[in-house]
Structure formats: C-alpha cells, structure tokens
Amino acid sequence: MTDLGNSGSKSKLCLLKEALDHFSIYGDREGIVPFGKGYINDTFVSTWNQGGTRLHYTHQRINQHVFTRPDEVMENILRVTSHIRTKLEGAADRSRRVLTVIPAADGKPYVRDAEGGWWRSYCFIEHARGGDTASSPGEAALLGKSVGRFQNQLSDIGGDRLHETIPGFHNMETRYTRFHEALQRDKHGRAGGCRGEIDFLLKNEERGGLLIRSLWERSLPERICHNDTKMNNILLDESTGEALCIIDLDTVMPGTSLFDLGDLIRTVATRVREDEQDLSGAGFDMALFRSLAEGYFSEARHFLIPEEYALVCESGRSMAQIMALRFLTDYLEGDHYYRTERPGHNLDRCRSQIALIRSMDSQWAAAEKTVKELAQRA
Ligand code: ADP
Ligand code: GN1
Ligand code: MG
C-alpha cells in the first residue's frame, strides 16, 4: 500500500479514527494511510486483520463544499451500486466490479463526525490500479468498453430520477458566467499572466455550449451517466489490465452519454497527463481515440442514436473545454475548489486542456471520419 501523503490530513485522520468505531467492520485495525490522487474528497485506506486474513477498506470524507447534500449523494450511490450488482449476478469477481458500501452500525451508509463531516466506507478493490494516461490502444479500448457497459447497466434503473448532486455540473453557460465574474474581479491579480488562455476560452464560448443546448433542446436524450469518467476513476486489474470497476460515483446523475465519452476522450486519447507542465509532447492521439471509441461503441451501440454519434468528436472537445474553463476559473478565484500541489497547478491543468483542443482541431477531419466508419460497423 503506497502512502501518497495528502498534506494536512492529520486532524481528518483523528476524525476518521473516531468514525471508524461506528462502521460495521470486524477484526483488528492495523493502520490507516491517506490514499489516491482525487481532487475533491479526502480518501484513506485502512488495513485490518480479520481472523488472520489481511484486508483493506477505503474511507472518504465527502467534500461538503462541493456536495452540499451528502445524504442524496449516498442515496444515489446505493441505488446505482445495488442495481449494477444485480446485473452482475453470477459474474466472477463481482465484488471487484462494483463498489460495495459498508453500512454504519445504525444501518446508514455514512457516519457523521464531531465536526459535522460525512464519512463513508467501501470495500477496497484489491489488486487494481488507476492510471493517468493510457499505455496502449488495447487499454484504451477496455476503458471505453467499461464506460459503455456502465451506462448500459444503468439504462433501466427505474424509480425516481436520481438526485442532481451538483446542479448544473456540466452546464457550460453557468460555468462561463462564473468565469466572467472571476475575470472581472481578478481578485488575485492573476489574469495578466494568462491572457492567451483567457482569449482562447472567450473565443470558444458559443461553440462550447453545443452539448448542453442539445440536451436542453432534447436532440440528445437524457441518460444516467457517471459525469466524471476521467481515466483514474476507472480501476484496472493489476494482472490482466481489464477495466474492472468504475469508482467515484458522487456525480452519477442524469446527463448525456456524451459527457462520459467526452471525458474519456480528453483523458485517454491524449499523450500527456492532465497536469503536465511540459506540453512539448502534448496532443490528441488518433490511435488511442480510435480504440477508445471502438471499445465504447461495442457496448453503447445497444442504445446510442445517430444524434449521439454525430457529436462524438465535439464531446471530447467540449469536455476538455469545460475543464479548461473550470481550472482557469479556480486559478483566478485563488485555487479553492480543486486540490492543488503547487503554485500554478490549475493554470497548468488549463493549459494542457487547451493544448489538447488545439491538437484535436488540427486532426478534426480524420477523427470525424474514424467515428463515421466505426459507427457504421457498430
Ligand atoms: P475524488 O472524488 O477525490 O476523486 P475518488 O473516489 O476518485 O475521490 O477516490 C480517490 C482515489 O482513491 C481513486 O482515484 C482511487 O485511486 C482510490 N480509491 C477510491 N475508492 C477505492 C476503492 N474502493 N478501492 C480502491 N481504490 C479506491
Ligand atoms: C474532479 O473527483 P475527481 O478528482 O475524480 C472533478 C471533475 C473534473 C476532474 C478533473 C466533483 O474529479 O469534474 O473533471 O476533477 N470532480 C468534481 O481532473 O468536480
Ligand atoms: Mg476521482
């Protein structure tokens, strides 16, 4: 188990230790370490000795600035995970293919701590790894397939509409409104150092709203999707490389299938990490894109309609754009939303997304041709 040392986690660790007394976990606790590279929640992994077998659990303090209704987040997650678990009836290794929420002693899917925080626990998915960039077209295909399967599994969930855990999460128009406000205030005097990025985003404002407008106008159907399918939210089997389990289910809610495909495109069909500072090797990778789309279509063809196929390339561009916009807004506002590890981290993230969009634009016709060809076969 690697200790990735999230800074400032000491008092959270104390709160977690207290919360752990209220979860139904058996055995002797041997240790707890901060874990993972998520930008939003505080994640820890604990090790337990259960009758001589060593096991791990994941614990997360839900970020309440981002998720103001953690009860609704957990209600969604329980519905989604139990639905997927039913779909996996009889599948080998089912407990590594879908998250398992550990209930608290009082039956609730969370424990409140002394400071009002919300803790949840999951079975740790053993012998799996996340990644920031795809290592091969084969891996890209498996990642695409896993997201297509996830959307397919949730297509008949039934019951009430899932809660919108972050209202307007992928609403480009409100994201731009906030960007304009941040720019006008320029509270930290940072706008002067990122004129090129600001101009790029202003120039692309109208086009960026295409996906969300199509959803509002209903030319794109509303579907249950994950809404945060960046590559490191998909765990791969350490030995076979199979995309095993889609995690980080906080934002599973209604949207368009293209939010997920677009997020995959921007994080998988790319040559560098999202926060790479040296952008000399950055760019859109056509071979990875082709395999990713092929893998995704192999599962999603059961429900995709022509209007969705038609916007595949636009989805990658649009999701890269909304991330560039959000990273730059956070930079201008003083880095309070995303976890950052160095000064200028959010600006670096914004720059890599813009480099990716420029590279996509330079290969646009070939990417569209690829989608047409794959769509005909799907
Ligand atoms: P965030 O919302 O902050 O991104 P995530 O839910 O993505 O939080 O979790 C952060 C990281 O913790 C993941 O990228 C993954 O490496 C690890 N992780 C989370 N849940 C599990 C789990 N059940 N099993 C194994 N690793 C996990
Ligand atoms: C955040 O939670 P995490 O780190 O997996 C963010 C996503 C962004 C992503 C960019 C709730 O994802 O929307 O795409 O960072 N999640 C939330 O890396 O804002
Ligand atoms: Mg995550």
Side-chain angles (χ1 to χ4, degrees):
M1 191 72 48
T2 323
D3 182 343
L4 291 162
N6 286 353
S7 59
S9 54
K10 196 137 198 234
S11 67
K12 303 241 176 77
L13 193 59
C14 293
L15 292 168
L16 170 58
K17 284 181 179 163
E18 286 166 14
L20 278 181
D21 293 339
H22 303 282
F23 278 106
S24 300
I25 299 177
Y26 304 100
D28 308 313
R29 197 177 76 225
E30 295 186 339
I32 310 178
V33 290
F35 193 78
K37 295 195 281 186
Y39 293 173
I40 303 295
N41 296 307
D42 293 299
T43 303
F44 297 83
V45 170
S46 63
T47 306
W48 300 70
N49 179 340
Q50 293 184 350
T53 298
R54 189 165 282 168
L55 301 177
H56 304 100
Y57 292 88
T58 304
H59 313 283
Q60 291 182 314
R61 193 173 201 249
I62 301 174
N63 183 330
Q64 274 176 270
H65 298 291
V66 172
F67 300 103
T68 52
R69 291 292 307 264
D71 54 332
E72 296 190 350
V73 168
M74 292 314 295
E75 206 180 306
N76 276 4
I77 292 179
L78 280 179
R79 279 182 66 195
V80 163
T81 52
S82 53
H83 188 75
I84 294 179
R85 189 165 296 106
T86 312
K87 294 276 161 117
L88 291 172
E89 188 77 56
D93 225 3
R94 186 161 69 151
S95 66
R96 291 172 74 225
R97 294 179 188 280
V98 60
L99 284 176
T100 306
V101 177
I102 306 294
D106 63 5
K108 296 205 173 90
Y110 51 78
V111 167
R112 305 292 307 274
D113 67 29
E115 293 180 6
W118 299 67
W119 289 93
R120 65 173 168 226
S121 296
Y122 292 119
C123 288
F124 184 78
I125 312 285
E126 305 278 353
H127 310 296
R129 62 177 174 87
D132 292 319
T133 52
S135 58
S136 65
E139 187 168 290
L142 293 173
L143 289 161
K145 200 174 163 64
S146 72
V147 169
R149 190 188 310 121
F150 181 86
Q151 293 178 342
N152 209 12
Q153 284 166 334
L154 293 177
S155 60
D156 60 349
I157 190 163
D160 291 343
R161 196 167 183 265
L162 289 178
H163 299 292
E164 280 193 46
T165 56
I166 304 181
F169 189 46
H170 290 317
N171 181 339
M172 191 74 93
E173 295 191 356
T174 51
R175 295 287 185 189
Y176 263 100
T177 305
R178 180 133 181 203
F179 171 65
H180 285 292
E181 284 165 7
L183 194 53
Q184 203 174 10
R185 274 198 210 113
D186 194 18
K187 199 169 155 198
H188 299 269
R190 294 177 170 177
C194 46
R195 271 287 146 216
E197 290 75 19
I198 292 168
D199 290 346
F200 179 89
L201 288 168
L202 293 177
K203 209 168 71 205
N204 281 277
E205 180 165 354
E206 173 66 18
R207 178 167 174 187
L210 188 58
L211 282 195
I212 194 76
R213 284 195 301 272
S214 304
L215 188 59
W216 289 335
E217 289 157 7
R218 297 180 189 275
S219 52
L220 286 177
E222 181 177 286
R223 302 190 190 282
I224 299 304
C225 45
H226 182 282
N227 288 300
D228 190 4
T229 48
K230 70 172 178 185
M231 182 169 162
N232 76 17
N233 286 329
I234 305 175
L235 298 182
L236 309 169
D237 186 291
E238 245 166 30
S239 49
T240 65
E242 185 196 350
L244 257 189
C245 185
I246 302 197
I247 60 165
D248 204 346
L249 304 177
D250 297 325
T251 52
V252 178
M253 57 183 159
T256 151
S257 60
L258 295 174
F259 290 154
D260 288 355
L261 179 56
D263 219 2
L264 267 181
I265 294 171
R266 79 171 185 93
T267 56
V268 175
T270 174
R271 299 206 191 97
V272 298
R273 283 197 333 261
E274 181 181 67
D275 61 352
E276 177 60 61
Q277 290 176 282
D278 172 9
L279 296 178
S280 55
F284 177 68
D285 187 302
M286 191 61 75
L288 291 172
F289 172 68
R290 187 186 178 86
S291 297
L292 173 70
E294 204 167 7
Y296 175 76
F297 293 158
S298 72
E299 295 278 343
R301 71 190 162 85
H302 300 297
F303 58 81
L304 287 180
I305 62 169
E307 287 76 3
E308 288 169 300
Y309 283 110
L311 288 177
V312 166
C313 293
E314 201 61 45
S315 78
R317 193 184 195 282
S318 179
M319 293 309 284
Q321 183 178 338
I322 202 166
M323 296 314 156
L325 184 73
R326 291 175 59 197
F327 290 141
L328 195 61
T329 304
D330 200 31
Y331 177 68
L332 294 172
E333 289 178 348
D335 306 309
H336 62 88
Y337 184 89
Y338 294 108
R339 181 169 293 126
T340 53
E341 283 160 12
R342 56 177 185 258
H345 203 164
N346 273 318
L347 181 57
D348 293 338
R349 290 167 175 155
C350 166
R351 287 186 169 142
S352 81
Q353 296 305 289
I354 291 178
L356 179 63
I357 296 173
R358 290 190 195 284
S359 174
M360 282 176 181
D361 287 351
S362 71
Q363 302 175 68
W364 198 262
E368 288 283 17
K369 194 165 160 235
T370 300
V371 173
K372 279 211 181 85
E373 184 198 320
L374 294 176
Q376 266 161 14
R377 281 207 258 134

